[in-house]
Every structure is written in structure tokens, then in C-alpha cells.
Amino acid sequence: MAVSEFSLIKRFFTRPAKNKQTTLSIGDDCALLSVPSAYELAITTDTMVENVHFFPDVNPEDLGHKLLAVNLSDLASMGAKPIAVTLALTLPEVNEQWLQEFSTGLFALADKYQLDLVGGDTTSGPLTLSIQAMGLVKSGQALKRCSAKVGDLIYVTGTLGDAGLGLKVKQGYQMHDSESVLAQFNKPLPKVNEGLQLLNIANACVDISDGLAADLGHILDMSAVGALLNYEQLPVSKQLRHYIEQTQDWEMPLRAGEDYELCFTVPPEKAFELDIQCTCIGVIDKQQGLRLNKQEQIVDFKTLGFDHFKEI
Ligand code: ADP
Ligand code: MG
């Protein structure tokens, strides 16, 4: 790495460690993290590529936030507590103002969870940003996709489809009151605390990055079960309700991605223990596949053309 890149890392990305698990941070060939006995290290990576995952006119502060948020959302869905991240940056040029804003957005969210940026890599090329996030979860307690049980109730946090509507606004859809849906698209809040609260309550959990039908589909496949969803119970904002009335695009809350809410299943006898903002939207049953109860009619998702196996 060239000297200028080293000073760039020092200037924009090096700060004193805050997390007690960080025993060695930026500066050596590797960072060192201690993992307390009886805990497992949960690890995830997500990459964002310009023109694929974000628009060239994106606000760099929002981008720093979102890159970290999408990674923390994966930790949240496992019920892991974030401790540290590494950052791989591929930059077409060294733009100090861009780096300043990007790191401000990233650290503002990192500070919420006392997590450290402990290392990374910096290269030159088309703008590509990658974070690897690490978290702790008590051994054997992580919320996996494979353990939903017949009879479990299905829940989601927050509302569905707002980020998708924010994307439509970016693409030219005109509406009043677009601030909150744009915020959901640009600066999603990972449901880290919610994930931690679901430990010992939820049987299975996933975060909604590709859309409710697709992501719940992963739980169903991996748990070898099916589900019946109640369309009228899906939590939607007044903006999304208005959009659906205007466009008849009623599949938005099922299809739209990037909400980064959690979808999880809970045995009915534990439902009273839930103490987070969430909505019951259906039930796990043994008939495989996903079905939708809409206006008292039951339709199979396959006949709606849903296919959750995406190319990438
Ligand atoms: P090496 O060549 O040994 O891989 P580098 O010269 O790439 O090391 O990096 C020097 C130090 O700076 C390392 O500790 C590395 O983890 C850290 N680093 C490099 N790029 C970044 C980045 N974008 N964010 C945070 N730390 C970084
Ligand atoms: Mg390196």
C-alpha cells in the first residue's frame, strides 16, 4: 500500500478501540479479537457496487451508514451482538471530502453499538465497498433459518415495502410525504436490539433484504415447512397504502427488498414474551410452499409468479 493510502486510513478510519473484545486494531497485518468462552463468533460480508447497489449521486454519508447497516442487519437476524467490522474499499480516486463524509456516516452508526473498525484493505478501481461484520452470540443460541416449526406464528418488525417505495421515488414516482420512505431506502436502521431480544423466543429468523416472500421462503425451504400469510395483516405505512390504492401494485409489501426488517417465527406459547414492535402476519404449516390469504381467498405464491431463487 502506498504512503498516501496509509495516511488516508490513519486520517479517516483509525480511532481508539471502544469494544473490549478488540485486542489489536488497525495497523498490523491482522486485527485480533477475543471471543469469550461459551460464545460463538457470527461473521457476515456484504458488498455494494456503484450503479448496481447504489446510484452515483448517493450522499456519501448515507452510503457509509447503509453499507454498515446492511451488514449489521445480518448479525441482527442471527441474534448476534456486533463487536467489530473490517472495510474493503475500492476507490476510483482519493477524494478527501467523499472519504470524510463516508466515514462520518459509517462511524455514526458504529458508535451506536460500540463496535470497532479493526482493519481492511484499500485498492484502486471502480467504486466498490465491502464490509465484513463480526458479532457474538452464546454458543448454540443463534437464530437460524432452519428451525421454524409447524404451528409457529410468523412476525415482522416495522413496516414492509417502504424502502421499495423510496426506490420508486428515486426513479421518478411522484408522491407527497416521501421523506420517510426515502429515509428507509437511504438510511435503514438495522434491528440489532430486536434480534437480541428474540433470543430464546424465536425459533427462526431472517432479515428482509430481498423482499418478504423471498426471505421468508428461505426459512420455509431450510426448515422444510410451509406458511400461510394474511395479506390484510401485513404492516404497511400510510404512504405505501396510498401508493397501492393509486397503482394497484398490491404485491409491493411482499416483493420489495431492502427494508432490513426482521421476519421471524415464534411458538404460540411464547408469543406473550415478545416485547418489541412487531406484527403477526401468518402461521407456519406443514404443507410446503407459501400461500396467501387475501380477501378470504387463498392463493399459492407460485401462481403469482414468485420465485425466490434469484440469479445473484
Ligand atoms: P497489508 O498490505 O499487510 O494487507 P495494508 O497495507 O493493506 O496491509 O493495510 C495496513 C493496515 O491498514 C492494516 O492493519 C489494514 O487492516 C488497515 N486498512 C487498510 N485499508 C483499510 C480500510 N479501508 N479501513 C480500515 N483499515 C484498513
Ligand atoms: Mg492489504
Side-chain angles (χ1 to χ4, degrees):
M1 180 169 78
V3 173
S4 67
E5 286 167 31
F6 195 75
S7 62
L8 169 161
I9 290 156
K10 217 168 158 117
R11 187 154 151 222
F12 297 110
F13 296 110
T14 308
R15 305 181 328 159
K18 294 190 169 180
N19 197 290
K20 63 176 188 296
Q21 259 64 57
T22 306
T23 48
L24 186 64
S25 191
I26 292 175
D28 214 315
D29 288 316
C30 289
L32 297 173
L33 300 176
S34 67
V35 179
S37 59
Y39 281 82
E40 289 172 298
L41 192 63
I43 305 177
T44 181
T45 300
D46 257 306
T47 297
M48 295 175 73
V49 180
E50 186 176 37
N51 292 313
V52 180
H53 302 99
F54 58 91
F55 295 105
D57 71 348
V58 67
N59 171 336
E61 197 172 326
D62 288 353
L63 189 60
H65 172 103
K66 187 163 176 177
L67 178 67
L68 181 55
V70 303
N71 278 279
L72 296 187
S73 178
D74 283 326
L75 292 182
S77 76
M78 302 295 287
K81 184 179 177 307
I83 56 168
V85 298
T86 59
L87 170 68
L89 283 179
T90 302
L91 305 169
E93 57 176 347
V94 174
N95 175 335
E96 298 193 355
Q97 193 188 339
W98 189 96
L99 284 163
Q100 180 62 56
E101 290 175 29
F102 174 82
S103 67
T104 298
L106 191 143
F107 283 126
L109 183 60
D111 285 346
K112 248 183 106 167
Y113 301 106
Q114 301 276 299
L115 66 85
D116 295 324
L117 173 60
V118 296
D121 197 20
T122 308
T123 52
S124 119
L127 187 58
T128 305
L129 315 158
S130 202
I131 274 185
Q132 180 183 55
M134 288 153 279
L136 294 178
V137 59
K138 279 209 179 115
S139 298
Q141 292 200 357
L143 305 169
K144 298 192 234 161
R145 296 176 173 186
C146 61
S147 30
K149 299 280 178 300
V150 172
D152 281 0
L153 300 173
I154 303 167
Y155 289 82
V156 288
T157 58
T159 54
L160 297 168
D162 286 342
L165 184 52
L167 174 60
K168 291 211 180 278
V169 171
K170 289 235 41 148
Q171 291 168 333
Y173 179 73
Q174 306 230 335
M175 60 179 281
H176 300 295
D177 224 5
S178 61
E179 211 171 291
S180 62
V181 298
L182 280 170
Q184 185 67 28
F185 178 71
N186 289 322
K187 289 190 95 172
L189 284 175
K191 299 297 178 294
V192 172
N193 295 330
E194 288 82 347
L196 292 171
Q197 300 227 33
L198 291 174
L199 291 167
N200 297 312
I201 299 176
N203 274 339
C205 185
V206 72
D207 70 319
I208 303 175
S209 51
D210 296 331
L212 174 68
D215 290 312
L216 175 59
H218 295 311
I219 289 185
L220 303 184
D221 287 346
M222 292 182 71
S223 302
V225 292
L228 178 64
L229 291 184
N230 293 311
Y231 184 80
E232 281 77 22
Q233 289 177 354
L234 298 179
V236 291
S237 64
K238 68 174 192 310
Q239 285 88 343
L240 196 74
R241 199 175 299 281
H242 186 70
Y243 164 83
I244 292 171
E245 280 162 15
Q246 296 271 303
T247 62
Q248 302 305 309
D249 183 8
W250 61 270
E251 294 180 6
M252 255 307 249
L254 298 161
R255 265 188 210 281
E258 300 205 52
D259 280 318
Y260 298 103
E261 298 295 344
L262 298 180
C263 173
F264 54 95
T265 81
V266 176
E269 66 275 14
K270 287 200 172 176
F272 78 95
E273 293 180 43
L274 285 170
D275 195 16
I276 58 175
Q277 194 273 316
C278 60
T279 309
C280 183
I281 59 169
V283 64
I284 298 287
D285 57 26
K286 52 173 190 296
Q287 186 191 343
Q288 298 220 351
L290 187 52
R291 287 158 297 282
L292 184 69
N293 183 349
K294 184 171 186 289
Q295 291 167 332
E296 323 251 301
Q297 289 203 339
I298 296 191
V299 266
D300 201 295
F301 272 69
K302 273 199 217 115
T303 62
L304 295 170
F306 277 87
D307 178 8
H308 59 265
F309 295 104
K310 290 200 163 178
E311 295 280 310
I312 296 179

